[in-house]
């Protein structure tokens, strides 16, 4: 892990924009094939890429119950408690309709309603992610979404991980399909004989999934185009090198393109962390992935002051930010741009990933400058409602007509004036 002096600008850009033309072409072909051939395309791609020859796409209730009944009881309790924490936090995000009374018995409203149907993508392949089930499903349920669908790639045996099914049962999701990749996104967007289309797709995935979400955006809504995971850590000489190193590697083991950055005012800590990272890498089961991430996207910066470190982080706008300094809360107040902030040495990033209750679906690639993590609002839509009484219209229609003609929209002016002609007709 390289050490460098902190300059004015640093970047983590590793977005899906880097995907090559062949990947984009492949994703478009997959989407077209699913649109034209429905279930057959899903069966074909699942056999081709996942090695699973399926006779049925949907997970049965018996499969869900079997997974739940045979799962480690302690882990069931842990998942249930995590789910309760997530539900409690997200329940505070629910907004009531906004009613604003005007004069003359008129009013305007902001009507908030849940989406009808959402699809949740749960990654598979190298690992199982029950936490992704909880983080996506529970906010949707709190919002009041009636139909929530899970899609996830199966194993070669045609099964989904037991942990994913257990998490789905805890969250209350029963409509689950054994399909992943770009083909799953296409099925959710356009529908097939078995999978009915949804209104929005959320959840992380590989570059093909991210590209597919981008392609279907407009037909359906999506949460975000997420890039590989990333963490930035601000630390001073009060931090412990082994703890900092373990937090950097926690992100590095996600993906070869994950990024782990330390910004510290202590040259001594920088050198100690550099040694600790190498030491701990050799002990990680996912060493190959983590090492590729650390070597290509892992950096240690030495800042002259904590203020310089804060400025760099605000420019970087990382997905995750940990603050391990003498006064971490004071530093956190200066942070404007980060997907999630973890304050102090006992609040390592996995606390938020699994248990605290905050959401771990967060903006990457500096998009935290203008976007937020997944929340209840993502599963709701807002509709404005207007009611003008006759008395209110009588007072204001001349003003509205004048503004319409200011923009040379005569039809708009006549629309609001037409009520006056009808009124004169009856008088």
């Amino acid at each position: 892990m390289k050490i460098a002096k902190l300059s004015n600008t640093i970047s983590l850009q590793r977005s899906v924009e880097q995907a090559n033309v062949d990947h984009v072409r492949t994703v478009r072909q997959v989407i077209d094939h699913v649109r034209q051939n429905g279930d057959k395309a899903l069966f074909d791609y699942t056999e081709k890429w996942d090695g699973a020859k399926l006779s049925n796409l949907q997970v049965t209730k018996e499969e869900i119950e079997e997974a739940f009944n045979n799962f480690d009881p302690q882990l069931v309790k842990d998942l249930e408690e995590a789910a309760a924490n997530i539900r409690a936090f997200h329940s505070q995000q629910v907004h009531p309709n906004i009613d604003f009374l005007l004069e003359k018995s008129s009013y305007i409203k902001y009507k908030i309603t849940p989406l009808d149907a959402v699809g949740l993508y749960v990654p598979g392949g190298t690992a199982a992610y029950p936490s992704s089930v909880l983080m996506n499903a529970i906010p949707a349920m709190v919002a009041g979404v009636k139909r929530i669908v899970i899609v996830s790639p199966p194993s070669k045996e045609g099964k989904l991980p037991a942990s994913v099914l257990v998490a789905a049962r805890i969250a209350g999701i029963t409509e689950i399909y054994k399909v992943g990749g770009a083909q799953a996104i296409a099925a959710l967007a356009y529908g097939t004989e078995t999978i009915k289309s949804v209104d929005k797709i959320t959840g992380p995935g590989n570059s093909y999934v991210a590209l597919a979400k981008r392609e279907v955006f407009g037909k359906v809504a999506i949460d975000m185009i997420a890039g590989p995971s990333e963490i930035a850590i601000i630390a001073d000489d009060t931090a412990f090198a082994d703890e900092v190193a373990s937090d950097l590697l926690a992100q590095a083991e996600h993906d070869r393109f994950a990024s782990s950055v330390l910004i510290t005012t202590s040259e001594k800590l920088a050198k100690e962390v550099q040694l600790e990272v190498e030491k701990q890498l050799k002990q990680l089961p996912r060493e190959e992935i983590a090492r590729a991430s650390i070597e290509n996207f892992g950096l240690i910066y030495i800042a002259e002051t904590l203020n310089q470190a804060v400025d760099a982080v605000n420019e970087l706008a990382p997905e995750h930010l940990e603050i391990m300094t003498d006064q971490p809360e004071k530093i956190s107040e200066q942070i404007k741009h980060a997907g999630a902030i973890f304050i102090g040495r006992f609040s390592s990033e996995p606390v938020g990933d699994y248990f605290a209750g905050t959401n771990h679906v967060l903006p990457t690639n500096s998009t935290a400058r203008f976007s937020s993590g997944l929340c209840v609002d993502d599963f709701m839509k807002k509709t404005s409602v207007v009611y003008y009484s006759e008395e209110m219209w009588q007072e204001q229609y001349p003003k509205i007509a004048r503004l319409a003609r200011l923009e040379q929209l005569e039809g708009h002016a006549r629309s609001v004036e037409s009520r006056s002609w009808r009124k004169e007709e009856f008088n």
Side-chain angles (χ1 to χ4, degrees):
M1 201 169 184
K2 297 177 182 177
I3 299 177
K5 289 285 185 182
L6 180 61
S7 61
N8 292 330
T9 58
I10 55 177
S11 173
L12 295 182
Q13 293 295 330
R14 298 148 294 118
S15 72
V16 293
E17 296 295 338
Q18 297 173 351
N20 62 42
V21 175
D22 289 340
H23 287 186
V24 175
R25 186 184 298 115
T26 297
V27 165
R28 289 176 178 169
Q29 290 172 347
V30 168
I31 292 172
D32 287 342
H33 189 29
V34 172
R35 291 185 68 179
Q36 294 171 17
N37 299 285
D39 282 356
K40 183 180 184 304
L42 300 183
F43 284 122
D44 290 346
Y45 284 129
T46 301
E47 183 174 3
K48 177 181 179 180
W49 286 326
D50 298 310
K53 190 172 180 62
L54 303 177
S55 57
N56 186 20
L57 291 169
Q58 188 164 6
V59 175
T60 65
K61 291 182 179 179
E62 289 74 21
E63 287 177 285
I64 297 173
E65 290 305 310
E66 180 184 2
F68 186 83
N69 293 332
N70 293 328
F71 208 65
D72 183 335
Q74 182 58 58
L75 287 174
V76 170
K77 291 181 180 179
D78 293 341
L79 286 169
E80 287 176 338
E81 188 173 347
N85 293 342
I86 296 166
R87 186 172 289 106
F89 178 76
H90 288 79
S91 293
Q92 301 302 309
Q93 300 172 2
V94 178
H95 304 295
N97 291 343
I98 300 172
D99 297 338
F100 186 69
L101 296 178
L102 304 174
E103 298 175 350
K104 301 176 175 60
S105 302
S106 300
Y107 63 81
I108 53 179
K109 288 186 176 182
Y110 210 32
K111 183 181 178 182
I112 303 175
T113 54
L115 302 179
D116 287 337
V118 299
L120 315 179
Y121 189 90
V122 179
T126 58
Y129 297 99
S131 60
S132 285
V133 175
L134 301 181
M135 293 291 178
N136 284 270
I138 291 174
M141 298 197 78
V142 169
V145 178
K146 297 299 182 185
R147 177 174 172 249
I148 303 174
V149 183
I150 288 175
V151 293
S152 189
S155 66
K156 291 182 179 179
E157 294 72 33
K159 296 183 177 182
L160 296 188
S163 60
V164 168
L165 298 183
V166 170
R169 186 184 186 278
I170 290 171
I173 310 302
T174 57
E175 189 178 349
I176 308 170
Y177 298 100
K178 305 173 184 178
V179 59
Q183 61 270 28
I185 302 301
L188 290 173
Y190 295 100
T192 70
E193 297 90 332
T194 299
I195 304 176
K196 186 179 178 182
S197 63
V198 299
D199 300 314
K200 186 167 188 174
I201 302 171
T202 71
N206 62 21
S207 61
Y208 289 99
V209 170
L211 287 168
K213 286 169 71 176
R214 185 171 65 180
E215 289 294 322
V216 302
F217 176 67
K219 177 64 176 66
V220 294
I222 61 173
D223 51 354
M224 63 187 76
I225 303 294
S229 192
E230 61 202 35
I231 191 171
I233 299 176
I234 295 177
D236 60 15
D237 55 10
T238 65
F240 295 91
D242 58 336
E243 295 175 358
V244 173
S246 68
D247 293 355
L248 294 169
L249 291 174
Q251 291 305 117
E253 71 174 353
H254 267 298
D255 189 290
R256 293 174 180 274
F257 293 94
S259 177
S260 301
V261 172
L262 167 63
I263 305 175
T264 179
T265 52
S266 170
E267 186 172 349
K268 177 176 180 290
L269 179 70
K271 292 178 180 179
E272 289 176 348
V273 169
Q274 185 183 47
L275 294 174
E276 271 292 332
V277 165
E278 182 58 35
K279 174 184 173 182
Q280 293 184 30
L281 261 175
K282 297 174 182 177
Q283 302 166 2
L284 273 184
R286 294 166 68 90
E287 178 188 354
E288 185 180 352
I289 293 172
R291 185 174 293 279
S293 165
I294 288 295
E295 290 180 354
N296 293 304
F297 303 104
L299 289 164
I300 299 173
Y301 290 106
I302 300 176
E304 292 183 8
T305 65
L306 284 175
N307 284 337
Q308 186 190 22
V310 167
D311 289 343
V313 165
N314 281 327
E315 180 68 24
L316 194 60
E319 177 187 16
H320 306 102
L321 171 66
E322 289 186 4
I323 304 173
M324 288 189 276
T325 61
D326 181 45
Q327 295 181 298
E329 291 183 83
K330 183 178 179 181
I331 296 295
S332 73
E333 293 172 358
Q334 301 175 54
I335 301 300
K336 296 187 296 181
H337 307 304
I341 302 172
F342 301 85
I343 299 173
R345 58 181 290 235
F346 298 108
S347 307
S348 63
E349 185 272 337
V351 172
D353 264 356
Y354 296 108
F355 215 73
T358 54
N359 209 288
H360 76 200
V361 181
L362 300 167
T364 62
N365 292 306
S366 297
T367 58
R369 293 186 62 81
F370 52 79
S371 60
S372 309
L374 196 70
C375 67
V376 170
D377 279 352
D378 288 298
F379 299 100
M380 308 187 88
K381 56 189 179 68
K382 293 86 175 177
T383 306
S384 57
V385 179
V386 178
Y387 172 74
Y388 261 29
S389 66
E390 182 179 357
E391 187 180 4
M392 182 67 117
W393 161 80
Q394 184 72 36
E395 179 186 286
Q396 296 193 356
Y397 84 81
K399 306 170 189 176
I400 299 167
R402 285 195 295 270
L403 291 176
R405 290 190 173 105
L406 175 65
E407 297 186 349
Q408 299 182 19
L409 294 173
E410 182 63 25
H412 283 61
R414 293 183 182 185
S415 169
V416 74
E417 288 176 339
S418 66
R419 278 73 181 164
S420 66
W421 303 331
R422 182 63 50 81
K423 185 177 180 67
E424 291 170 1
E425 182 181 307
F426 279 95
N427 282 340

